[in-house]
Amino acid sequence: MTSVEDRSSEIELAGTPDFRIGALEVRPSSCRVRLGGQEQKLEPRVMQVLVALAQREDQTVTRDQLVDACWGGRIVSDDAVSRVLAQVRALSRTFDPAPFTLETVPKVGVRLTAGETKASAGQPPAPPIFHLSRRHAWWMASGAVAAGL
């Protein structure tokens, strides 16, 4: 795992490219999300958690992994993590239909699953705008190796 001094695994919103979760446009560098004509500004920590979960879409992410990626490994209370996860859940419920769901996997973590996109409703697919930088790809690969150990 990473140490508190190793901030290279922490999600940097300014360097994270825009992407989509289902029909939701996510713009990390401006801490904004948009669906249709509706736009919402997020707290930076909420955006970091959303990015961390989206990077591992359909995979279970532990609270420790979220703390490493979003709080830089600092010691934070379970209440702080729960509060941010509740805000991410509330974000999804803000839009109709919900662009994603968060599933709690008891005693393991949380998993983000994208909702129905316009493409699955018979519309042409939206162009993908999420691209991993080499640094993010390396971080994800090294995390997978570390998890395997």
Side-chain angles (χ1 to χ4, degrees):
M1 283 288 164
T2 60
S3 67
V4 174
E5 293 80 25
D6 181 15
R7 304 242 188 256
S8 63
S9 65
E10 189 171 357
I11 292 174
E12 296 176 24
L13 296 176
T16 303
D18 295 352
F19 63 96
R20 291 183 188 273
I21 302 172
L24 183 71
E25 297 174 31
V26 182
R27 293 181 289 195
S29 62
S30 63
C31 288
R32 294 183 184 277
V33 295
R34 182 179 183 161
L35 182 63
Q38 191 176 1
E39 185 173 87
Q40 188 169 346
K41 185 165 176 56
L42 304 180
E43 293 177 23
R45 187 77 66 209
V46 174
M47 180 60 78
Q48 282 181 308
V49 169
L50 181 61
V51 168
L53 293 170
Q55 286 176 342
R56 300 198 47 200
E57 184 178 338
D58 293 326
Q59 298 176 26
T60 303
V61 179
T62 67
R63 284 177 175 257
D64 288 341
Q65 289 170 325
L66 286 176
V67 169
D68 286 344
C70 304
W71 281 269
R74 290 182 214 84
I75 297 172
V76 295
S77 70
D78 280 341
D79 288 342
V81 177
S82 294
R83 179 188 67 83
V84 174
L85 286 171
Q87 288 179 298
V88 173
R89 279 192 174 94
L91 169 68
S92 180
R93 290 188 298 261
T94 300
F95 302 102
D96 187 33
F100 62 88
T101 57
L102 285 187
E103 174 190 357
T104 299
V105 181
K107 308 241 184 224
V108 180
V110 64
R111 176 177 32 237
L112 180 141
T113 304
E116 184 175 307
T117 63
K118 290 181 183 178
S120 60
Q123 300 291 326
I129 56 176
F130 180 73
H131 302 284
L132 288 177
S133 67
R134 275 193 257 177
R135 192 173 127 231
H136 286 111
W138 180 88
W139 176 80
M140 290 175 65
S142 63
V145 170
L149 298 176

